[in-house]
Amino acid sequence: MIYVFDGAMGTMLQNAGLKPGECPELLNVEKPEVITNIHEEYIAHGSNIIETNSFGANRIKLSHYGLAERVKELNTAAVKAAKAAAGDKVKIAGSIGSTGKFIKPLGELTFDEAYEVFYEQISALVNAGVDMILIETIIDIQEMRAALLAAKAVTDKPVICQLSFNSDGRTVTGTDPQTAAITLEAMGADIIGANCSLGPAQLLPIIELLAANCSCPISIQPNAGMPHLVEGKTVFPMDAEEMASWVPKLVEAGATYIGGCCGTTPKHIAAIKKAIQLLTPAVRQHRKPMLALTSRSKTVFIDKTLPTVLLGERINPTGRKKLAAEIKEGNFLSVKKEALEQVHAGAHLLDVNMGVAGIDQTKAMSKAITEISQLVDVPLAIDTSDAKALEAGLKAYPGRALINSVSAEPERLDEFLPLAKKYGAAILCLPISPAGVPKTAPERVAVVQTIIDHALAIGMKPNDFLLDALVMTVAADEEACIQTLNTLKLYREKFGYPSTMGLSNISFGLPNRPLINSNFFTMSLAYGLDAPIMNPYDTAMQEALLASSALLGFDKNARHYSLSAANANAPTKAATAPISEMDLLASIKTAVINGEKEAIAPMVEKALAEGHSSTEITDQCLTAAMNEVGIGFGSGKLFLPQVLLSAEAMREAFIKIKELLPLQNFQNKGIVVIATVKGDIHDLGKNIVGALLENNGFHIIDLGKDVELDTIVKAALEHDADIVGLCALMTTTMPQIDFVIDALKKAGSKAKVMVGGAVLTQEYADQAGADCYARDGVVAVNLAKELVEK
């Protein structure tokens, strides 16, 4: 069956007289009949699922109106108004929107705080009697994870997860549809989809990717095209018939829940309903089932049909006194360098272990996972024997992690498996039982079967497992090698799941260990090893992998082997050298690009001591680095978390220069007044732009959100602003941009006007009379520089 949602609530409320700056959810108690009438109109035009008027009814959003203590009341009233219209045949979806804040480290909100905010609102909606929960218009996967966890903790009713994607096919913080689908399905989302930001044409390929990468039903609620400005009013250009013309394509792509977002009305829903009557759900083509791990912005698959995946082992303080001492001091500089350099050396996944005696491992694991996941884009394995540290790491991780490891010991099964299920993690199955370490391959297979049986019994799925073959030292047991190889063989024959293991233990106590290790590695690959845990810096092991991949058919025509040989004979480029080997200025530039904010200040201090001028450091290192970051962001190679981290590193560099050279005359690049316009309480985008501009040398006057026209004009004149930056994220507040621009011109302000926001377009900016339109923060910085130079 294909279900029909309703259309935009905000558009209908605006038509009903809601003014900019008023709280839409307050109407649930002050004018419930208005809300019920809107629901009734959508039902009359074909909706069989209606959404409660509760999109912004969470504690954080309501606090802007002084209504933070009325969460339960307003959400309960929203359900009551919907029930008055729904009857017995129409389902009610409890609408949950964003908090409007980023979760740390991108913002100030903690994961637990976000969880509690969502838990409170979802509890109110469920207790009032909704049929399902709809989490929608979310732009960050970590916020979606917090909301989904809260929903699953509150209810067993279906939970729909809808993200908003940009025109580049990713969310604001860089998550692609494939990664989103895999992450959310693993966590238990019942329906996955997309809404807002884009029209049906732009969302079609996103729906195709979502449908191909999960088995959940797919939902889609596009805008009625991209908004235009017509006679001072925001108009969505797509009429009902044109919207309906996209329905067959959306259904063919896999959607079975279809509705509308901004600009859609009952007429659009009627047209969608008519188009659906002649359609049946598509037969979806899913990807081959295999183990998938995700970061915020990337998915890595592990399977016998795919090339070998390297799991970097270097973030582990065992036997490394310096690293252990730094972690104990709370210094994660070496941890972050190991993360960067392992990825640089070819690691596809990173193992993270914080096993240092005498520390709070829960706190250390949370910090390590938070820092590393913002720094690199590869998925992480959380390596710990402490259940509290494991959960802290799983909370902090914005993706689908690997748990290293779960044995057949009762406490591991009882504590670790529920956490894996709850957070959607995969598990590394380690064949150790209460009886100890099994010596033979059949015994190891039997122990792993026990782990898998327990995992499947609590609802985990076949593609949640990575099997460790367990490597013992051959110096102590002459059967160690052959038993491990036989274990790999039996794993593949009996289970078909991918395998892993640490390699270096095989040679412990023997001379010429690299020779033993590389030969054992080659043999293991032939027996079915899919994801070795190894030191990616080990040249002999990397060479063994290249040769084995060519011989085993994973490297077609030995292409990568040949390219590697050619590169080995080519001159080394400074840009690809390890960070530790670069000259000082190059290291500063690289540190900014990598976002190494802790490392940058000592480097800058050393550069100044060696006679490099502040201008030289600024131009050749800091500015040059941010230019490269901007290029990477524009090409889709870097995403918002990395951009913000680089901006923070640049800021630390400037702080150190000003500290050491207080009399230095730093040129102020310009004064920028920024504000979210009247009636709009969203400021995420504005805050990002402000931070990036400030870190690039601009003086920022941030007026906040929901700012009166007169306040913006007054600030522009008083501060003699070079630029006024205006933000609007709601279709109902877009016309305020026109009013402010007109007022600035009448007041004689010399400031150039830059506009931005999720609902704005270049065409809209042109019609409003803005000097430029910034689609994101990086573009805003470049445009600001151009405007000031002119």
Side-chain angles (χ1 to χ4, degrees), residues 44-74:
H45 284 76
S47 296
N48 46 34
I49 301 175
I50 57 173
E51 301 172 31
T52 55
N53 180 39
S54 56
F55 177 78
N58 63 66
R59 177 171 293 273
I60 293 176
K61 283 285 188 69
L62 290 176
S63 66
H64 179 75
Y65 305 103
L67 303 173
E69 302 306 315
R70 298 178 67 178
V71 172
K72 182 178 180 180
E73 176 193 2
L74 295 177

Side-chain angles (χ1 to χ4, degrees), residues 236-315:
F236 284 84
M238 188 172 287
D239 62 23
E241 287 68 29
E242 186 180 358
M243 174 76 84
S245 72
W246 285 95
V247 169
K249 296 176 184 178
L250 295 172
V251 171
E252 185 181 358
T256 50
Y257 290 77
I258 302 177
C261 203
C262 299
T264 58
T265 65
K267 289 183 179 180
H268 291 83
I269 298 306
I272 290 172
K273 180 72 172 182
K274 183 178 180 181
I276 282 173
Q277 289 176 349
L278 302 176
L279 302 174
T280 56
V283 178
R284 285 163 55 184
Q285 300 296 319
H286 301 289
R287 61 173 172 79
K288 177 184 178 295
M290 60 182 72
L291 174 61
L293 302 172
T294 68
S295 64
R296 187 191 296 273
S297 58
K298 187 175 186 178
T299 298
V300 171
F301 294 99
I302 307 175
D303 189 73
K304 64 183 179 181
T305 63
L306 299 175
T308 305
V309 171
L310 299 187
L311 178 49
E313 66 180 6
R314 296 282 297 169
I315 305 176

Side-chain angles (χ1 to χ4, degrees), residues 699-781:
H699 178 57
I700 303 301
I701 311 295
D702 188 346
L703 302 179
K705 56 191 175 184
D706 188 19
V707 182
E708 295 281 357
L709 178 153
D710 292 343
T711 302
I712 298 172
V713 174
K714 182 180 178 181
L717 295 174
E718 285 185 354
H719 295 282
D720 194 23
D722 298 289
I723 299 170
V724 171
L726 301 175
C727 179
L729 276 86
M730 298 168 63
T731 56
T732 56
T733 60
M734 287 169 65
Q736 292 294 320
I737 285 180
D738 308 65
F739 303 150
V740 174
I741 292 174
D742 185 56
L744 285 168
K745 290 178 179 177
K746 289 180 179 178
S749 171
K750 70 167 189 178
K752 300 294 185 181
V753 179
M754 180 191 301
V755 299
V759 294
L760 297 185
T761 63
Q762 181 67 60
E763 182 180 357
Y764 193 102
D766 293 341
Q767 291 175 344
D771 294 286
C772 60
Y773 159 71
R775 68 176 183 272
D776 56 58
V778 175
V779 170
V781 171

Side-chain angles (χ1 to χ4, degrees), residues 151-432:
K152 288 294 178 179
V154 171
T155 182
D156 58 2
K157 295 179 185 292
V159 180
I160 306 171
C161 295
Q162 291 184 168
L163 290 159
S164 283
F165 294 88
N166 291 333
S167 57
D168 64 356
R170 292 180 180 267
T171 66
V172 167
T173 56
T175 303
D176 60 278
Q178 180 183 68
T179 296
I182 291 167
T183 301
L184 297 175
E185 182 176 33
M187 290 183 65
D190 298 287
I191 300 166
I192 297 174
N195 76 293
C196 206
S197 293
L198 304 171
Q202 296 87 357
L203 285 178
L204 180 61
I206 289 169
I207 292 304
E208 290 172 341
L209 285 169
L210 289 174
N213 285 281
C214 71
S215 58
C216 302
I218 301 298
S219 62
I220 174 73
Q221 297 190 73
N223 290 347
M226 304 305 289
H228 300 284
L229 186 66
V230 179
E231 296 180 354
K233 294 184 179 180
T234 303
V235 176
F236 284 84
M238 188 172 287
D239 62 23
E241 287 68 29
E242 186 180 358
M243 174 76 84
S245 72
W246 285 95
V247 169
K249 296 176 184 178
L250 295 172
V251 171
E252 185 181 358
T256 50
Y257 290 77
I258 302 177
C261 203
C262 299
T264 58
T265 65
K267 289 183 179 180
H268 291 83
I269 298 306
I272 290 172
K273 180 72 172 182
K274 183 178 180 181
I276 282 173
Q277 289 176 349
L278 302 176
L279 302 174
T280 56
V283 178
R284 285 163 55 184
Q285 300 296 319
H286 301 289
R287 61 173 172 79
K288 177 184 178 295
M290 60 182 72
L291 174 61
L293 302 172
T294 68
S295 64
R296 187 191 296 273
S297 58
K298 187 175 186 178
T299 298
V300 171
F301 294 99
I302 307 175
D303 189 73
K304 64 183 179 181
T305 63
L306 299 175
T308 305
V309 171
L310 299 187
L311 178 49
E313 66 180 6
R314 296 282 297 169
I315 305 176
N316 190 326
T318 304
R320 301 178 64 192
K321 292 182 179 179
K322 182 177 181 293
L323 182 61
E326 288 186 8
I327 293 172
K328 194 167 186 176
E329 294 169 0
N331 180 356
F332 285 73
L333 184 57
S334 292
V335 167
K336 293 164 75 172
K337 281 187 175 294
E338 287 286 9
L340 287 165
E341 294 194 351
Q342 285 187 99
V343 173
H344 178 84
H348 306 101
L349 310 170
L350 296 180
D351 188 73
V352 181
N353 183 300
M354 291 288 112
V356 178
I359 70 167
D360 183 343
Q361 288 197 31
T362 299
K363 183 178 179 181
M365 183 62 79
S366 179
K367 182 175 180 180
I369 295 296
T370 298
E371 297 274 5
I372 296 167
S373 63
Q374 190 180 9
L375 196 63
V376 298
D377 67 350
V378 301
L380 304 182
I382 301 173
D383 185 353
T384 182
S385 58
D386 186 311
K388 291 182 179 178
L390 174 60
E391 182 159 22
L394 290 170
K395 277 185 186 179
Y397 187 60
R400 186 179 195 225
L402 173 68
I403 295 175
N404 183 10
S405 57
V406 177
S407 67
E409 297 161 297
E411 63 274 15
R412 285 292 183 96
L413 296 174
D414 293 343
E415 294 179 349
F416 280 32
L417 288 181
L419 290 175
K421 171 65 176 171
K422 177 180 179 180
Y423 290 94
I427 62 171
L428 187 153
C429 301
L430 187 66
I432 296 178

